[in-house]
Structures are given as structure tokens and as C-alpha cells.
């Protein structure tokens, strides 16, 4: 049974940094596409970063150059390093995985419909 649990959310001032972690059980994070999504109140869910061992990483334009997705193989986890945060980055951050999927087969690796299992999310608040 796949289980994803996110950690690391919190409150930070604009310009600050946070590091999120998504710990997985029932799967190996390096063997399938994994991604981070976020959703702000009143807005649609947005895919922001995806990673796959065989196909590298993909980022939304809104976070490119500021966010970095990576593996924590010791913990079987997915990290999201978020730097230069601004108020537009506020929202619920959720990780997801796609067992049996392949980033190379998808037109858009950040499309939520590609992912089957989801965590509960962790809240990020950015104050100006």
C-alpha cells in the first residue's frame, strides 16, 4: 500500500526558504515519477516540480530557478527546496507518485492526472 506523508511546511517571510520532505512507504521513490503540487485558496492545483530517475526534472515556470526537487534515498523521500519565497508561493503543498508511469511518455509531466497516489499535504504561508 502506497503512503506519502509530507513534512516541512510552515510560515516564512518573503525572501526566505523552506525545505519540504515527502516520505514514502510501499514504493521506492527513485523507481517512478514523483511530483510536487500546490494549491492556493480559490485557485486550481498547480504542478510545480516533477522528477524521475530516468528523465530528470521538470519545473513550472513560476518556480524555475528558485525551487529544487531531489531525492533523499536514505529516507526514501522526495525533497523540495524552496528559496526566494514570495506570497504567490503560499498554498497547500502535496506530493504524488505515478507507479508504472514514465515521465518520457507524458506530454506534460506536471499534469495531475498522470499521478495516482497523493499525500495529505503540508501548508506553506509566506508573509510580506
Amino acid at each position: 500500500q502506497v503512503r506519502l506523508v509530507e513534512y516541512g511546511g510552515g510560515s516564512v517571510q518573503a525572501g526566505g526558504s523552506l525545505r519540504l520532505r515527502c516520505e514514502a512507504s510501499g514504493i521506492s521513490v527513485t523507481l517512478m515519477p514523483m511530483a510536487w503540487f500546490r494549491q492556493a485558496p480559490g485557485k486550481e492545483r498547480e504542478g510545480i516540480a516533477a522528477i524521475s530517475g530516468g528523465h530528470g526534472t521538470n519545473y513550472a515556470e513560476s518556480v524555475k530557478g528558485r525551487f529544487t526537487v531531489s531525492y533523499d534515498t536514505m529516507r526514501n523521500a522526495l525533497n523540495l527546496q524552496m528559496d526566494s519565497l514570495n506570497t504567490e508561493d503560499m498554498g497547500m503543498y502535496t506530493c504524488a507518485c505515478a507507479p508504472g508511469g514514465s515521465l518520457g511518455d507524458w506530454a506534460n509531466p506536471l499534469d495531475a492526472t498522470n499521478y495516482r497516489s497523493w499525500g495529505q499535504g503540508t501548508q506553506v504561508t509566506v508573509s510580506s
Side-chain angles (χ1 to χ4, degrees):
Q1 183 179 356
V2 178
R3 186 166 182 250
L4 304 174
V5 181
E6 298 91 344
Y7 300 93
S11 297
V12 64
Q13 286 192 325
S17 299
L18 280 175
R19 187 177 182 87
L20 306 184
R21 185 174 78 252
C22 170
E23 293 191 0
S25 58
I27 59 165
S28 175
V29 297
T30 60
L31 297 182
M32 65 189 66
M34 302 283 298
W36 285 97
F37 293 80
R38 70 183 178 194
Q39 187 167 20
K43 294 187 177 181
E44 291 189 357
R45 181 168 52 192
E46 174 190 18
I48 57 173
I51 186 170
S52 172
H55 296 278
T57 56
N58 294 83
Y59 295 95
E61 286 298 321
S62 58
V63 306
K64 199 172 289 185
R66 300 187 299 120
F67 290 13
T68 303
V69 63
S70 63
Y71 294 123
D72 180 346
T73 55
M74 291 289 289
R75 294 180 174 179
N76 192 36
L78 189 71
N79 291 330
L80 184 67
Q81 177 66 39
M82 306 187 296
D83 298 319
S84 301
L85 286 161
N86 57 60
T87 56
E88 294 295 311
D89 295 317
M90 286 198 295
M92 181 67 74
Y93 283 69
T94 307
C95 69
C97 67
S102 175
L103 240 58
D105 294 339
W106 302 336
N108 180 8
L110 298 177
D111 184 344
T113 62
N114 293 320
Y115 297 86
R116 293 211 324 255
S117 296
W118 295 78
Q120 293 298 308
T122 185
Q123 183 69 37
V124 171
T125 302
V126 183
S127 58
S128 58

